[in-house]
Amino acid sequence: MLSKTVEEALNRQVNRELYSSYLYLGMSAYFETLNLKGFAGWMMIQAKEERAHAMKFYDYIIARQGKVVLDTIEAPKAKWTSAGKVFEEVYAHEQKVTGMINNLVDIAIREKDHATFEVLQWFVKEQVEEEANAAMICEKIKTVGDVPGHLFYLDHELAKRK
């Protein structure tokens, strides 16, 4: 059974992961307006992945006889000035999520909740990958130039993500 503190923290994270999904869905829509289908597809996959993360927390709360509490999800912005700015935001967002996961680990340790600590290790490792991917794409955009004509090669590369 989850302590009240852990249950509340995990519920906050369910909602934060759903917001992340919503944010990436908004970014996908933005890239669709620019006809950058590879970028849009990459973001759509990212949105689905973030929803899956939310569901991992959701399922874990249920498995530990907790109660899932869904909250209002803030609307993400709909327009950016460039692909580079989008990915700078992605990178900053993933760094913020890493902080959130680290905070959950700290709570699990304080509460002596070893099962939750163990589950969170998957998310700790996942965040290393998430930050690395966002940083790599930011660097690639800087290399090719953050203008639509130069982004088509990268758009083609991002379209390969499955």
Side-chain angles (χ1 to χ4, degrees), residues 45-46 48 56 111 114 148:
I45 291 168
Q46 195 66 23
K48 290 175 184 175
K56 279 182 183 277
E111 294 288 314
H114 301 285

Side-chain angles (χ1 to χ4, degrees), residues 1-158:
M1 193 141 178
L2 297 170
S3 73
K4 182 177 182 199
T5 301
V6 170
E7 185 176 319
E8 287 173 355
L10 293 175
N11 269 298
R12 275 191 305 276
Q13 195 61 33
V14 167
N15 287 284
R16 289 169 174 166
E17 297 290 342
L18 290 171
Y19 171 77
S20 294
S21 178
Y22 208 34
L23 174 65
Y24 293 137
L25 186 61
M27 290 173 171
S28 178
Y30 168 73
F31 283 123
E32 287 287 353
T33 67
L34 299 178
N35 201 29
L36 290 170
K37 301 290 187 185
F39 281 88
W42 193 95
M43 287 295 178
M44 183 63 71
I45 291 168
Q46 195 66 23
K48 290 175 184 175
E49 191 174 288
E50 298 301 335
R51 184 178 181 282
H53 294 172
M55 293 309 297
K56 279 182 183 277
F57 283 111
Y58 177 101
D59 291 340
Y60 180 72
I61 293 167
I62 298 296
R64 295 287 307 275
Q65 291 79 47
K67 180 180 176 190
V68 173
V69 179
L70 299 177
D71 202 355
T72 303
I73 301 172
E74 178 185 342
K77 70 188 208 182
K79 190 171 181 183
W80 289 262
T81 57
S82 68
K85 293 294 183 195
V86 173
F87 273 93
E88 286 172 12
E89 186 170 331
V90 169
Y91 183 52
H93 182 74
E94 290 302 338
Q95 289 175 312
K96 183 177 177 183
V97 172
T98 297
M100 294 172 189
I101 298 298
N102 290 342
N103 185 54
L104 288 172
V105 171
D106 292 342
I107 292 169
I109 290 169
R110 265 195 321 273
E111 294 288 314
K112 296 182 170 71
D113 186 336
H114 301 285
T116 299
F117 175 85
E118 185 61 33
V119 165
L120 291 171
Q121 295 313 297
W122 183 90
F123 290 95
V124 169
K125 292 173 190 159
E126 176 70 6
Q127 282 310 118
V128 171
E129 180 184 318
E130 296 285 8
E131 283 190 37
N133 286 338
M136 177 191 64
I137 295 170
C138 282
E139 288 305 311
K140 285 184 177 186
I141 291 171
K142 288 177 188 171
T143 299
V144 300
D146 194 3
V147 293
H150 295 167
L151 293 174
F152 285 120
Y153 172 78
L154 188 52
D155 186 62
H156 180 70
E157 183 180 326
L158 293 180

